[in-house]
Amino acid sequence: MRSLPIFILAISLFISSCGTTSRFGKTDDAPKYQKTGEKIEDGRASWYGPNFDGKLTANGETYDMYELTAAHRTLPFNTVVKVKNLDNGKSVTVRINDRGPYAKNRIIDLSKKAADEIDMLGSGTAPVELILLEGDLKNSRVTNLKVPTYTVQLASFNHEHQAQSHAQKIRGARVEKINMGNKTVYRVYHGVYTDKNNARKKQRQLKRQGFSGYVKQIEN
């Protein structure tokens, strides 16, 4: 019986060291910020305007620089965040509907109106913090807000059996059910990559094997 505490301790250490996994990696890497009202990120914000006004955003909307929207690398579309300018304390609430920014050391690209609301039109950039107001990061695929993840999409079908049949021809392929409003589709994907170049390399390899596809960012 004297050895029982040691045995229990050993089991506890083993379990805690294992962690848990999901199909996209360790959940230990998942965001710890999961509740609304909490700060999720800080860094520099920029803004984009006339050169993009009227063009399509990453989620298929038409960009309107006079709406309170923003681009973020990884936050799920329609996530709502409060952006606080740390230089002057002013805040604005925006909805994520686009991807970016791609400039180094920027965490969010605001619409012109949003940038104006927090007095950063003139400076172009400002130190900010992002506070989650609406959105579900707990159940999303976000593991690192600063690092997008990519996959190779190989096909899309209206029926699951068609997708499964196609996926069985490609070693390592997977099928995911995608809800698109009133419509459901079944897409065949291959791999998960944090380096877009590696995803492109795999896409070219699959093409040589006779399977056409393209690289896309995994949406959340």
Side-chain angles (χ1 to χ4, degrees):
M1 294 299 292
R2 292 172 62 184
S3 63
L4 184 59
I6 297 175
F7 174 77
I8 293 174
L9 176 61
I11 291 296
S12 300
L13 291 173
F14 173 78
I15 292 173
S16 64
S17 66
C18 289
T20 56
T21 59
S22 70
R23 55 190 174 136
F24 294 103
K26 293 184 178 181
T27 55
D28 294 343
D29 296 330
K32 302 300 185 292
Y33 32 75
Q34 297 168 351
K35 298 178 181 178
T36 57
E38 291 186 353
K39 184 178 80 170
I40 57 174
E41 193 176 10
D42 54 50
R44 295 201 73 81
S46 50
W47 66 275
Y48 64 131
N51 291 337
F52 297 90
D53 197 42
K55 297 182 180 179
L56 291 182
T57 62
N59 74 342
E61 297 178 8
T62 300
Y63 175 60
D64 184 343
M65 65 182 182
Y66 298 108
E67 295 290 335
L68 295 176
T69 59
H72 191 278
R73 287 188 180 91
T74 59
L75 281 173
F77 292 136
N78 296 317
T79 298
V80 177
V81 296
K82 180 167 75 172
V83 183
K84 182 179 180 181
N85 185 337
L86 299 180
D87 278 341
N88 57 27
K90 293 186 176 182
S91 299
V92 64
T93 298
V94 297
R95 178 176 61 88
I96 304 301
N97 72 340
D98 206 357
R99 288 293 174 231
Y102 299 105
K104 189 176 181 181
N105 298 325
R106 310 278 176 82
I107 65 169
I108 193 168
D109 246 349
L110 301 176
S111 67
K112 182 177 181 180
K113 181 175 181 179
D116 190 33
E117 292 277 324
I118 59 173
D119 268 352
M120 55 165 279
L121 282 181
S123 60
T125 66
V128 299
E129 64 179 23
L130 308 184
I131 298 169
L132 180 65
L133 297 183
E134 293 180 25
D136 183 6
L137 294 187
K138 181 177 181 180
N139 295 309
S140 78
R141 299 176 186 177
V142 175
T143 57
N144 185 332
L145 286 179
K146 299 182 186 299
V147 182
T149 52
Y150 302 92
T151 190
V152 180
Q153 180 171 320
L154 296 168
S156 182
F157 298 93
N158 292 326
H159 302 286
E160 185 176 11
H161 73 273
Q162 295 174 312
Q164 294 290 355
S165 176
H166 189 72
Q168 288 172 6
K169 303 173 186 176
I170 310 166
R171 184 176 181 180
R174 68 184 186 279
V175 174
E176 291 191 21
K177 179 180 178 181
I178 309 294
N179 294 317
M180 303 175 62
N182 296 324
K183 183 180 179 181
T184 299
V185 297
Y186 299 86
R187 289 179 178 165
V188 181
Y189 294 126
H190 194 289
V192 177
Y193 309 87
T194 55
D195 187 328
K196 196 172 186 178
N197 289 328
N198 288 340
R200 288 170 174 161
K201 181 178 179 181
K202 173 56 70 172
Q203 182 264 329
R204 291 192 293 269
Q205 179 183 335
L206 290 166
K207 186 175 182 179
R208 289 194 294 271
Q209 296 171 5
F211 303 108
S212 297
Y214 63 94
V215 174
K216 65 171 292 183
Q217 182 173 337
I218 294 177
E219 299 303 340
N220 304 289

